Amino acid sequence: MKLGVNVPNFGPGTDPGMLRDWACTVEGLGFDLLMLSDHVAVTPDVAEQYPAPFYEPFTTLSWLAGVTERIRLGTTVVIVPYRHPLLLARMAANLGDLSGGRLVLGVGVGWARQEFAALGVPFGERGRITDEHLRVVRAAWANTADYRAGSIPLWIGGNSDAGIRRAVRLGDAWHPLRATLPWLREARERLAATARDQGRPVPALAPRIALRLTADPLTGHDRLAGEGTLDQVAADLAELRRLGAETVVLDPFNGDPEETRRPRESWRVLATVAESLIRSE
C-alpha cells in the first residue's frame, strides 16, 4: 500500500517557495504521492475555508514536476464541471507526459455554490455534467492521438452513493475523503455491491484520510481515520490495507488557514509517520 500527502496549495502562508519546500520535503520523506486541491474562483464560500492565494493545481503540479524526480503528482480533487472536458483531457495528458507519467487525476463534482455561479455553471446539474465530461475525457484519451494520456489513473472522489456509482462506471479508483473507519468498511461493501449490480470490476480503493497525531488515544465514535496516537494511525492504515486500499492519502491540514504559516508542524508529523510506517517496511 502506497502513502501520499495532500499538500495545501492555498492560504496566507503559501507561496511558490513554500510549495517547493513542501514537495521536496514530502518526496524526501519517502512518500509516494503529492496531491493538490482545486478551486478556480475564490468566492466567499471558498475563501471561508481555503483563502487566497489559491494556486491552480495543473499549473502548480507542472512546476513541481520540475523540482521533483520520483514522487507521483495528483489532484484531490479537480472539479470536473469547472473546465471544458477537452481542456481537462488535454491538460491532464500534457502534464502526464511532462512529468514522466507521474500524474494521478482525482476528480469530483464540487460543492461551492457561489463558485459555480461565478463560473456560469448550474450547480444543480453538476452530477450530470461531471458524468458527461468524464466520458468525453475518456474518449479523448482513447481515440485522439493528440490527447492520449498513457496510463493516467482516474480517481473518482465523493462520499455519496452517486460518487460510488460514478467510480464504478467511470473510474479506476474510488477516492472517498476524510471519513471514519466504520463508515469506510460499510462503504467498501456498497462499492463492491454496486460493481456486482452493474457487472463491472470493483474499482481500487484510494481514500484520503485525516492526519492528526495526539498524545492520548481518541475514543469517540466520530474519530476520523488518521486521527489519534501514532499507534491508532498505524492501526487505521493496517485496516485500510486489509480493506484493499492501494494508496492512502494523508491530509495534515486540519481546517485553520493559519496552519499554512507553520508547515514545519505538519512536516514533523509526516516525518514521524514516515519513520514509523514507511522506512520500517
Side-chain angles (χ1 to χ4, degrees), residues 9-33:
N9 52 320
F10 55 85
T14 301
D15 59 27
M18 189 64 72
L19 287 164
R20 182 183 61 245
D21 290 347
W22 262 103
C24 294
T25 298
V26 169
E27 183 173 55
L29 288 172
F31 288 96
D32 177 73
L33 173 64

Side-chain angles (χ1 to χ4, degrees), residues 79-121:
I79 308 305
V80 174
Y82 288 174
R83 298 169 179 84
H84 191 285
L86 292 180
L87 176 62
L88 177 58
R90 173 67 68 94
M91 289 193 299
N94 288 172
L95 179 51
D97 284 342
L98 291 168
S99 66
R102 289 188 279 154
L103 180 65
V104 175
L105 185 64
V107 300
V109 301
W111 57 268
R113 287 179 177 271
Q114 293 172 350
E115 187 174 22
F116 273 84
L119 295 169
V121 180

Side-chain angles (χ1 to χ4, degrees), residues 9-281:
N9 52 320
F10 55 85
T14 301
D15 59 27
M18 189 64 72
L19 287 164
R20 182 183 61 245
D21 290 347
W22 262 103
C24 294
T25 298
V26 169
E27 183 173 55
L29 288 172
F31 288 96
D32 177 73
L33 173 64
L34 178 160
M35 303 195 91
L36 303 180
S37 54
D38 178 38
H39 284 287
V40 173
V42 185
T43 48
D45 50 352
V46 174
E48 184 176 354
Q49 299 183 52
Y50 310 110
F54 201 110
Y55 286 81
E56 194 278 329
F58 285 104
T59 312
T60 306
L61 289 172
S62 295
W63 178 62
L64 293 179
V67 299
T68 56
E69 297 179 356
R70 171 196 57 80
I71 197 165
R72 291 187 295 163
L73 306 164
T75 54
T76 179
V77 289
V78 159
I79 308 305
V80 174
Y82 288 174
R83 298 169 179 84
H84 191 285
L86 292 180
L87 176 62
L88 177 58
R90 173 67 68 94
M91 289 193 299
N94 288 172
L95 179 51
D97 284 342
L98 291 168
S99 66
R102 289 188 279 154
L103 180 65
V104 175
L105 185 64
V107 300
V109 301
W111 57 268
R113 287 179 177 271
Q114 293 172 350
E115 187 174 22
F116 273 84
L119 295 169
V121 180
F123 182 81
E125 298 181 34
R126 66 195 188 283
R128 176 188 61 78
I129 293 169
T130 295
D131 289 349
E132 291 178 356
H133 282 199
L134 289 178
R135 292 188 182 98
V136 172
V137 169
R138 285 285 197 191
W141 285 352
N143 301 316
T144 309
D146 199 32
Y147 284 81
R148 284 198 182 141
S151 58
I152 294 176
L154 183 60
W155 291 7
I156 308 296
N159 293 17
S160 66
D161 287 340
I164 289 175
R165 293 191 296 269
R166 185 172 295 113
V168 170
R169 290 195 310 272
L170 298 166
D172 300 304
W174 179 45
H175 184 49
L177 308 179
R178 297 181 69 95
T180 67
L181 259 179
W183 185 90
L184 284 166
R185 291 189 201 102
E186 186 274 333
R188 178 65 178 79
E189 292 302 316
R190 281 190 283 129
L191 180 72
T194 301
R196 287 194 301 270
D197 291 344
Q198 296 189 15
R200 295 176 178 271
V202 180
L205 178 62
R208 188 179 97 200
I209 67 172
L211 179 61
R212 183 170 68 92
L213 293 185
T214 61
D216 299 316
L218 300 181
T219 58
H221 70 278
D222 57 348
R223 180 182 74 87
L224 295 176
E227 290 186 328
T229 64
L230 183 60
D231 286 344
Q232 285 183 299
V233 173
D236 290 345
L237 291 172
E239 175 68 11
L240 289 169
R241 187 196 299 268
R242 286 191 291 271
L243 289 174
E246 296 185 357
T247 302
V248 175
V249 180
L250 305 175
D251 187 354
F253 178 68
N254 290 299
D256 180 0
E258 288 299 310
E259 294 175 36
T260 62
R261 300 185 190 273
R262 305 184 297 273
R264 285 170 180 78
E265 295 179 14
S266 294
W267 297 345
R268 282 194 292 271
V269 171
L270 289 167
T272 299
V273 171
E275 183 68 29
S276 176
L277 304 177
I278 296 177
R279 295 170 189 170
S280 62
E281 293 187 355

